């Protein structure tokens, strides 16, 4: 508490928080001293069973000692003091808490920038208190001393959130701001995007349904549907950017500076000085990183892609085999068999995607990127390329090599529906079921303890300790990305795709919410300004969809019927139209501003102020230096006036005081 | 001079300059008082002949009165005091000068940001002293009171610049930094780009020459040449971006904030408050602007495009007529006639381009854009679309409709060479010749005056007053852009194009330098961070060139010979290759960072510092407000302790002093 003098001059070294509303700050300041004794556990640390007593003591001292001694200045308490005698199995669980003042400093260290003048003030003291990732602790994690570190769920707040979110099933918007309050911006943005995307799919589904019901085999209005698809995919992505900017501006993360990110927890290297911030941190040569990326990761990814194509060819063999079996017997029973290869292939694709995901994560970790964002970009790129090929290669092959539209439709439907069902079961329902079974077991066990002490916290820690860890929004976005691919690439062949996607997403919102609240440990909150690299991924997909849709249109028998004698003319016209559409797409993307006008204005204002502040600070520096230099000159002049017999060094020291005095009276 | 207290606390309202090196600043400060009396004329103002005496007085007062009274705080002197009796014709010429301190303030107002720590300090007191555009004065210009405003050439500096630049003909780099010192960043960037582009063309020219000399009619290595063209055009543009960032970072304009641009001189509207800077300035509704843009400008541009296509069809009629005439007579003489339509058409194109340019300028002015950059963007878009169609439509028509490669080659060569010769003559040589004639006349006239006074300045003003006004780098970039089009779009048909372009550019550098130094009035210096919208224009052209080159390859007889039976397969393969190339192009553009790494680091550092400064400023504000509020509370508490019989308002006023005193002792 001694480090910051809140009323007088703020201690610059500690970099105190700015931008918190005055009344709030005063409230916090007045409660600081009184609340300090009430310990609210924020994060649980589990140590390995064989950790020595000295290690524990060292860890404890690292956590509780003040920042100026290199500690984390947090509160620390073992969970099991009271229960230690009853159960011997969980003796290494510790709780970490934080004083309010420390939370404010933490929010500051994350570098949040917010608007101070409008009414939508952000009470970040409560909302970002889960931001403590404890970088040192993370290194202990990789070395096996610490088993896991996780924040505890806030049961009351969680209950409230669940009530407004998914437990009462009704058609309404999600409480995005509350989700963001509890889980942080990254996860709230995912749910916001999921909701937006679902609503954006509805027009496609609505137009697709009659196509399916009435003109199933009639490709007549095919061209209209595909054209609508093109415009739709461009516009929704542009509109999302604006909506996203609106949201993150309100949350204060839009102008958050990504460059000043701390190095990511897994990052290791020789300790050095970061040339941007001037702070000490590990440094790793980007040359080595590039060697690892291009000489190991790239060949590995290529090998995986080859393997995926190999599996695809096996699928086509199976397809042939099933078809020949069906034709040989010709019974009703074997017609069902026709779907078996697709279903099996869909399951194999899912398994391969998941396995590859682990390999990609391992490789990207090993590439040792300094920033979490760089790590994410490399991981996303690796996984996207593979998943894209793995999921869509067979469809492209059927569409453009086999040119079998019936098989394409059947294959698309099977892949889409199978992967959606699989995802929901594997992601949420199965873990939830396992979780409930474990929960009942823990409750029984805790009840067997003496009931004279309050066991709520103990029970909660035991329960959440065994929950799965949420590994970030990556898989969820990936699922949406692949869905977007199924809907936009080939939907004119299978117009029901959008309808299935909408149905899936309505349940997905709920199952994902369940997953976040009940299946996983509470994740560390991460601020973010946008959906990041996924925006680019979706945009790339929409460009690819323009090309495939044009090609599908060109291949349709109706369009071919218009040019009965010259196929070359047909191809040329299709290519010309495709180029025009792509040009239109880029012009659209260019003409629609990424940020709404009012946000552009506010951002410009913020930048202007920041620049002005820097100028004034530097001017003050210049003025001070000028003053100092003139003092120096004064001193030297004074020194010269003295008789030369006296020893010079002592003399000059004596002269300083009158020199300074003279200058002070001048200024 | 009284407005700024340089040694003590800087006057915030005047926003003093930051970032100037200490020694420099001290030097400037010490010379301020002594140099003030020596008047160096910077800008000449010419008033109309019929301006009243009161208007002159008012103008003078606006220019010389200090900033706090709404004046420009500059020095002002009539040119002709001494010569008034001798000549009666030029009685309305005035000279405007500025004190050094005013120049510093001006540099500050432009918003320059520079690095303070490295050795490449920018002595902007001398280099940006031509930045005074006098917005008020500009309004007088449009109303016809002021005939013209222009800065004077600095004859000595100009002589020095010319010596290192173009008068001594030798193969060497241009003195870009000196050019920037004399003419400002925008013009220096143009010459930098011209030089870079010329060097970038050399590989194309070197590869093109043997194609022309040995395999003129042999399209065999055609594909290689076109592929090289594709990669070349992508890479040179990416590399230029990095080089440009390097240059402008050194000049301090890279991080200059475009948002805080003052409104452009021609901009008019109702006076209001700019919501970004909080400064008072004219405001014009963007709704009205868009109405003008879409309801007037857009239809006009479309009409012009139609007219251009109409002229093109006339050209093809002429071509047919010349051909039939040649075939009828069959003589040597009429074979020369075949080139006449192309040459006439090339001249007509040039004339149309120039006429359209004036119309586009008028329309864009009338759209009333607030910022110079927005004005430029709209003007460039208008002119580019028209010039592109005007210059290339006939070539596209010949290549893809007539499919006459011989005519294409002949037409391309004629267009390219004619336009280059025309440009150099019309732009530089002709005006220079006229200029010299006028110069001799003026010299004779001045010599006729009495020679007892120094007439150098008088002669210079008379000379420069009649020089043309340089209207910005627009036309120069446009010329390069069209040249880039000729070289990259169809060069595989006419590989000599690049060689001609290189030749042209070597002389262009010199004729442009001559034009800048001897033909035009010295332009007002404008800072800029990049070549702006031209980068995008060149990139778009390179995308179009990928498409045309692929199409040309697909049409070549050699490639057609490979697919004798199926033309459709050929088209499909060409399209596939084209898509792959475009994808490669975008990946390349994405993978090559726009700014070199060391500049990214420095920019990140600057942003980090600026953010930190803002934080500290805001924190100080919060601390002060907290203090004030606690004082308020103190006061209220003190008021409550007083007996209620006294009248409240007076009492509270009396209580303030002890309350403040008590608080001061606490803090």
């Amino acid at each position: 508490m001694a480090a910051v003098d809140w009323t007088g001059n703020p201690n610059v070294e500690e970099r105190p928080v700015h931008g918190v509303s005055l009344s709030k700050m005063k409230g916090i300041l007045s409660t600081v001293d009184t609340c300090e004794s009430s310990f609210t556990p924020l994060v649980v640390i589990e140590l390995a069973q064989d950790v020595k007593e000295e290690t524990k003591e060292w860890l404890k001292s690292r956590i509780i000692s003040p920042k100026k001694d290199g500690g984390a200045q947090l509160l620390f308490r073992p969970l099991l003091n009271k229960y230690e005698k009853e159960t011997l199995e969980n003796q290494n669980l510790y709780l970490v808490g934080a004083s309010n003042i420390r939370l404010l400093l933490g929010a500051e260290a994350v570098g949040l920038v917010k608007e101070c003048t409008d009414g939508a003030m952000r009470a970040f003291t409560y909302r970002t208190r889960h931001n403590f990732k404890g970088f040192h602790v993370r290194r202990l994690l990789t070395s096996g001393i610490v088993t896991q570190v996780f924040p505890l769920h806030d049961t009351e707040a969680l209950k409230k959130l669940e009530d407004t979110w998914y437990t009462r099933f009704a058609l309404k918007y999600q409480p995005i701001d509350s989700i963001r309050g509890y889980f942080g911006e990254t996860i709230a943005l995912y749910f916001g995007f999921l909701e937006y995307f679902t609503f954006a799919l509805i027009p496609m589904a609505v137009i697709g349904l009659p196509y399916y019901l009435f003109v199933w085999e009639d490709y007549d209005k095919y061209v209209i549907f595909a054209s609508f698809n093109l415009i739709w995919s461009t516009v929704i992505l542009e509109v999302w950017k604006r909506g996203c900017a609106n949201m993150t501006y309100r949350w204060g993360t839009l102008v958050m500076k990504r460059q000043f990110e701390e190095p990511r927890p897994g990052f290791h290297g020789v300790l050095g000085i970061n040339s941007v911030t001037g702070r000490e941190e590990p440094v790793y040569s980007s040359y080595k990183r590039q060697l690892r990326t291009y000489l190991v990761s790239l060949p590995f990814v290529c090998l995986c892609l080859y393997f995926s194509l190999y599996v695809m060819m096996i699928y086509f063999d199976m397809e042939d085999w099933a078809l020949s079996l069906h034709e040989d017997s010709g019974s009703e029973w074997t017609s069902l068999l026709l779907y078996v290869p697709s279903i099996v292939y869909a399951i194999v694709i899912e398994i391969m995607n998941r396995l590859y995901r682990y390999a990609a994560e391992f490789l990207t970790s090993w590439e040792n990127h300094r920033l979490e964002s760089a790590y994410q970009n490399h991981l996303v790129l690796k996984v996207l390329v593979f998943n894209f090929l793995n999921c869509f290669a067979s469809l492209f092959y059927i569409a453009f090599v086999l040119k079998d539209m019936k098989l394409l439709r059947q294959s698309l439907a099977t892949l889409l529906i199978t992967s959606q069902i699989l995802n929901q079961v594997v992601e949420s329902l199965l873990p939830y079921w396992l979780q409930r079974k474990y929960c009942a077991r823990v409750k029984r066990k805790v009840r067997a303890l003496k009931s004279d002490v309050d066991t709520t916290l103990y029970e909660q820690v035991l329960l959440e300790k065994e929950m799965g860890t949420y590994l970030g929004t990556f898989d969820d976005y990936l699922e949406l990305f692949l869905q977007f691919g199924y809907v936009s690439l080939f939907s004119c062949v299978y117009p029901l795709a959008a309808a299935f996607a909408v149905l899936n997403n309505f349940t997905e919102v709920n199952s994902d919410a369940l997953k976040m609240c009940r299946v996983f440990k509470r994740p560390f909150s991460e601020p973010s300004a946008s959906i990041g690299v996924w925006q680019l991924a979706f945009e790339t997909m929409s460009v690819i969809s323009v090309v495939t849709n044009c090609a599908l249109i060109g291949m349709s028998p109706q369009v071919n019927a218009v040019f009965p004698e010259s196929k070359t003319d047909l191809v040329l016209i299709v290519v010309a139209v495709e180029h025009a559409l792509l040009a239109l797409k880029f012009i659209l993307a260019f003409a629609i501003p990424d940020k709404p006008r009012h946000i552009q204005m506010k951002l410009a204002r913020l930048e202007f102020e920041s620049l002005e502040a820097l100028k004034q600070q530097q001017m003050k520096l210049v003025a001070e230096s000028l003053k100092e230099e003139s003092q120096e000159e004064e001193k030297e002049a004074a020194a010269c006036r003295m008789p030369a017999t006296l020893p010079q060094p002592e003399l000059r020291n004596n002269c300083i005081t009158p020199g300074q005095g003279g200058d002070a009276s001048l200024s």
Side-chain angles (χ1 to χ4, degrees), chain A:
Chain A
M1 286 321 306
V4 185
D5 177 9
W6 282 95
T7 47
N9 50 340
N11 187 328
V12 177
E13 212 188 282
E14 283 284 322
R15 266 176 298 115
V17 182
H18 77 286
V20 64
S21 81
L22 289 183
S23 59
K24 187 131 270 155
M25 194 171 225
K26 286 176 68 187
I28 291 159
L29 291 176
S30 61
T31 54
V32 157
D33 293 330
T34 55
C35 294
E36 222 49 14
S37 52
S38 74
F39 179 89
T40 320
L42 295 177
V43 172
V44 176
I45 297 181
E46 185 183 9
L47 300 182
Q49 296 292 328
D50 54 349
V51 167
K52 288 177 200 156
E53 208 54 45
E54 301 99 85
T55 315
K56 284 186 207 168
E57 276 307 311
W58 173 83
L59 183 66
K60 187 183 170 185
S61 78
R62 294 290 294 178
I63 291 173
I64 62 170
S65 65
K67 262 205 136 174
K68 61 177 190 290
D69 301 338
Q73 204 169 351
L74 295 166
L75 312 175
F76 188 79
R77 208 189 74 182
L79 170 67
L80 292 172
N81 269 351
K82 324 177 197 171
Y83 316 109
E84 221 158 59
K85 273 140 215 165
E86 282 85 354
T87 70
L88 282 167
E89 43 185 341
N90 303 100
Q91 57 188 349
N92 278 328
L93 283 167
Y94 293 89
L95 298 175
V96 176
S99 66
N100 271 320
I101 212 76
R102 184 63 191 83
L103 288 170
L104 282 167
L105 293 173
E108 148 72 13
V110 174
L112 292 174
V113 178
K114 311 179 291 77
E115 204 178 27
C116 298
T117 45
D118 72 9
M121 277 307 300
R122 182 172 172 204
F124 67 75
T125 47
Y126 286 90
R127 284 183 179 162
T128 58
R129 66 174 173 189
H130 307 287
N131 266 325
F132 298 94
K133 271 216 167 170
F135 299 116
H136 294 286
V137 174
R138 271 291 168 106
R139 207 165 302 155
L140 296 177
L141 250 170
T142 46
S143 65
I145 294 168
V146 173
T147 314
Q148 58 178 342
V149 182
F150 61 94
L152 278 177
H153 272 294
D154 180 341
T155 37
E156 256 176 71
L158 186 64
K159 191 92 207 86
K160 238 185 249 169
L161 178 66
E162 280 182 309
D163 279 349
T164 55
W165 197 2
Y166 69 97
T167 49
R168 287 177 205 155
F169 197 80
L171 272 182
K172 60 176 185 334
Y173 292 109
Q174 297 174 86
I176 299 288
D177 283 334
S178 313
I179 298 171
R180 175 244 172 189
Y182 192 83
F183 288 111
E185 286 81 12
T186 307
I187 289 167
L189 265 183
Y190 164 68
F191 280 103
F193 183 68
L194 175 58
E195 185 173 271
Y196 170 80
F197 186 61
T198 308
F199 281 111
L201 276 170
I202 289 178
M204 284 290 288
V206 166
I207 294 178
L209 261 176
Y211 267 81
Y212 176 75
L213 292 175
F214 305 117
V215 284
W216 171 252
E217 287 297 331
D218 178 17
Y219 291 86
D220 217 22
K221 281 121 198 166
Y222 205 77
V223 181
I224 303 163
F225 190 70
S227 319
F228 178 75
N229 200 337
L230 296 176
I231 297 165
W232 170 81
S233 65
T234 308
V235 170
I236 61 154
L237 291 174
E238 289 300 313
V239 173
W240 163 252
K241 263 194 241 168
R242 295 166 65 93
C244 176
N246 243 330
M247 232 173 348
T248 52
Y249 179 77
R250 195 173 68 230
W251 295 343
T253 51
L254 181 59
V255 282
M256 197 184 57
K257 307 280 164 177
R258 270 278 162 209
Q259 300 95 296
F260 314 130
E261 259 182 52
E262 296 289 327
R264 64 184 294 272
F267 179 65
H268 54 86
V270 187
L271 217 63
I273 299 291
N274 179 330
S275 57
V276 172
T277 60
R279 295 171 188 161
E280 197 176 49
E281 63 172 46
V283 171
Y284 187 78
S285 119
S286 75
Y287 172 71
K288 274 193 210 165
R289 187 179 302 131
Q290 285 185 350
L291 272 186
R292 288 181 171 192
T293 309
Y294 293 113
L295 292 189
V296 179
S297 298
L298 191 65
F300 176 78
V301 172
C302 292
L303 209 74
C304 288
L305 292 179
Y306 178 78
F307 182 71
S308 156
L309 291 179
Y310 189 78
V311 169
M312 183 187 85
M313 293 327 278
I314 294 176
Y315 156 65
F316 285 116
D317 285 347
M318 270 171 66
E319 196 77 59
D320 282 346
W321 172 78
L323 198 68
S324 66
L325 209 76
H326 173 62
E327 273 167 3
D328 284 354
S329 71
S331 68
E332 279 287 301
W333 188 83
T334 51
S335 81
L336 276 176
L337 198 78
L338 284 179
Y339 284 91
V340 171
S342 289
I343 293 173
V344 170
Y345 184 51
I347 295 171
V348 168
I349 283 179
E350 282 295 314
I351 294 171
M352 278 165 69
N353 280 351
R354 269 155 214 273
L355 285 180
Y356 177 81
R357 174 91 163 73
Y358 290 114
E361 239 168 28
F362 173 79
L363 272 178
T364 318
S365 257
W366 178 72
E367 285 168 17
N368 199 17
H369 295 279
R370 185 179 158 263
L371 297 182
E372 186 64 30
S373 54
Y375 171 85
Q376 286 294 337
N377 288 349
H378 278 81
L379 182 61
V380 167
L381 188 67
K382 275 193 197 71
V383 174
L384 277 196
V385 169
F386 181 79
N387 279 34
F388 183 83
L389 201 86
N390 206 16
C391 292
F392 300 124
S394 64
L395 297 178
F396 277 105
Y397 189 80
I398 295 170
F400 300 117
V401 180
L402 303 182
K403 290 181 181 170
D404 182 346
M405 290 301 141
K406 210 173 161 190
L407 181 61
L408 177 62
R409 196 180 309 126
Q410 177 204 313
S411 198
L412 178 63
T414 321
L415 275 179
L416 177 67
I417 297 169
T418 313
S419 77
Q420 289 186 344
I421 293 173
L422 265 183
N423 263 317
Q424 298 224 1
V425 171
V426 173
E427 252 181 25
S428 308
L429 302 179
L430 186 70
Y432 182 61
W433 182 72
L434 291 172
Q435 182 62 29
R436 284 191 62 149
K437 278 183 68 178
Y438 177 75
C439 182
R441 216 162 61 228
V442 165
K443 278 203 172 124
R444 243 175 301 150
K445 203 161 151 191
V446 170
R447 267 189 217 114
L449 292 174
K450 280 178 208 163
S451 56
D452 56 335
V453 281
D454 181 24
T455 54
T456 326
L457 184 63
Y458 176 58
E459 191 184 314
Q460 194 194 350
V461 171
L462 275 197
L463 269 177
E464 296 191 7
K465 172 171 107 68
E466 292 300 317
M467 277 175 163
T469 306
Y470 183 65
L471 294 166
T473 49
F474 190 98
D475 289 308
D476 297 313
Y477 277 119
L478 187 63
E479 215 183 310
L480 280 185
F481 173 75
L482 295 178
Q483 189 187 69
F484 182 65
Y486 287 124
V487 171
S488 64
L489 290 179
F490 299 104
S491 64
C492 56
V493 180
Y494 184 54
L496 261 192
F500 272 109
V502 169
L503 265 185
N504 175 70
N505 288 0
F506 271 119
T507 52
E508 177 92 18
V509 168
N510 293 299
S511 70
D512 278 354
L514 178 75
K515 176 177 87 177
M516 290 310 304
C517 295
R518 291 290 155 198
V519 174
F520 285 126
K521 294 189 189 83
R522 181 172 189 175
F524 285 99
S525 148
E526 303 221 21
S528 63
S530 68
I531 61 172
V533 70
W534 290 103
Q535 183 77 40
L536 189 71
F538 276 78
E539 275 165 13
T540 310
M541 180 68 95
S542 85
V543 169
I544 297 172
S545 84
V546 171
V547 181
T548 40
N549 277 299
C550 283
L552 285 175
I553 291 172
M555 281 162 57
S556 73
Q558 285 73 26
V559 175
N560 271 283
V562 181
F563 298 87
E565 64 282 347
S566 166
K567 249 199 125 183
T568 312
D569 280 0
L570 168 67
V571 173
L572 286 176
I573 288 174
V574 168
V575 169
V577 169
E578 185 231 359
H579 279 73
L581 283 172
L582 282 177
L584 181 75
K585 202 174 159 59
F586 280 103
I587 292 170
L588 259 184
F590 191 75
I592 303 175
D594 285 1
K595 287 164 193 152
R597 202 177 148 71
H598 70 278
I599 288 186
Q600 279 174 28
M601 297 291 288
K602 284 176 185 166
L603 289 183
R605 191 173 172 78
L606 197 72
E607 263 197 81
F608 177 74
E609 279 172 2
S610 137
L611 202 73
E612 291 285 301
L614 182 68
K615 276 185 195 170
Q616 284 184 19
Q617 203 195 31
Q618 289 196 339
M619 191 55 219
K620 210 165 281 176
L621 234 77
V622 169
E624 273 166 26
S625 316
L626 275 174
K627 211 166 153 187
E628 269 171 34
E629 278 191 31
S630 68
Q631 283 177 9
E632 286 284 322
E633 279 167 24
E634 190 96 358
K635 276 177 249 162
E636 281 179 26
C640 292
R641 280 194 296 271
M642 297 299 277
T645 46
L646 281 170
Q648 280 289 336
E650 285 165 57
L651 168 82
R652 289 189 63 162
N653 283 339
N654 290 338
C655 284
I656 291 171
T657 329
Q660 275 180 324
D663 192 80
S665 66
L666 274 173
S667 66

